[in-house]
Amino acid sequence: MAHDNPTRTAALTPAALAGLLAQGTGPRVLDVRTPGEFRASHIPGSCNVPLDTLREHRAELLTHLDEDVVLVCRSGARAAQAEQALAEAGLPNLPVLDGGMMAWEAAGAPVDRGEARWDLERQVRLIAGSIVLVTGVVGVFVPGAHLIGTAIGAGLTFAALSNTCAMGMLLSKLPYNRGPRTDIRTVLASLREQA
């Protein structure tokens, strides 16, 4: 694990995590992506606790977690937010999988796969690009319509600078991405089994 400074989330490389899991002594893996993303691909044996559920039920989750947990998402951003939420609840310095599932898969580590789905980042690119394209074309006929595309561009710039994405958060709430609602009792039972 790399600790760059005390305020930065610890990171665990895919190779290091794969080695720990292969030994059977690995930490529990909490995947904070949406249920749809989780069903498409996840680390074998990981437990899906979507970021919204984790934030809402962090006090309950805390009673079933210890420092032997690694947080995972697509790229590491949501996992870092989950680490911050759990730190605020009293469980600081949980490691995040460096590079998330993208790095895990790129390293050739084992993955359980389900039905293929578009990840949230790709959906954001489609929606944002479509809005910019349509408002650009409509702007030829309707003065000022292009300003909608400008606002989308400003939102994407803010998303990159703040490492958050309002459009991604909205898209994550669509039925396509949510899948069946995550039941906290099922999550807690799964965590008890892994303990």
Side-chain angles (χ1 to χ4, degrees):
M1 279 183 228
H3 298 276
D4 294 308
N5 66 51
T7 60
R8 189 172 190 283
T9 302
L12 189 63
T13 67
L17 179 58
L20 290 171
L21 293 174
Q23 293 173 11
T25 59
R28 291 187 286 172
V29 178
L30 293 187
D31 191 319
V32 299
R33 296 175 301 154
T34 66
E37 290 174 293
F38 182 79
R39 281 194 314 270
S41 69
H42 59 271
I43 296 171
S46 60
C47 181
N48 184 220
V49 185
L51 183 57
D52 290 344
T53 302
L54 182 138
R55 284 181 176 145
E56 183 180 341
H57 297 282
R58 62 184 156 191
E60 294 168 74
L61 290 166
L62 213 55
T63 61
H64 299 281
L65 299 176
D66 54 26
E67 291 81 19
D68 199 25
V69 169
V70 173
L71 300 166
V72 177
C73 66
R74 181 181 180 277
S75 65
R78 283 179 278 175
Q81 292 173 30
E83 190 279 329
Q84 182 179 4
L86 290 170
E88 290 169 0
L91 189 58
N93 303 318
L94 292 179
V96 169
L97 178 62
D98 191 23
M101 283 299 294
M102 290 174 27
W104 180 264
E105 290 186 52
V111 175
D112 282 346
R113 294 200 184 280
E115 177 186 339
R117 298 177 156 261
W118 281 20
D119 60 44
L120 282 176
E121 183 178 315
R122 186 175 181 191
Q123 292 175 51
V124 167
R125 290 191 313 253
L126 173 68
I127 299 299
S130 297
I131 291 171
V132 170
L133 176 64
V134 169
T135 58
V137 171
V138 170
V140 171
F141 305 104
V142 179
H146 71 283
L147 294 175
I148 295 170
T150 302
I152 294 295
L156 291 173
T157 301
F158 176 78
L161 294 173
S162 65
N163 203 23
T164 62
C165 184
M167 188 181 294
M169 286 186 267
L170 289 172
L171 288 171
S172 73
K173 298 190 182 315
L174 292 175
Y176 173 82
N177 293 315
R178 299 284 297 167
R181 180 151 167 77
T182 302
D183 177 37
I184 191 63
R185 291 183 304 264
T186 304
V187 169
L188 294 175
S190 176
L191 291 173
R192 278 192 293 274
E193 287 175 17
Q194 291 181 354

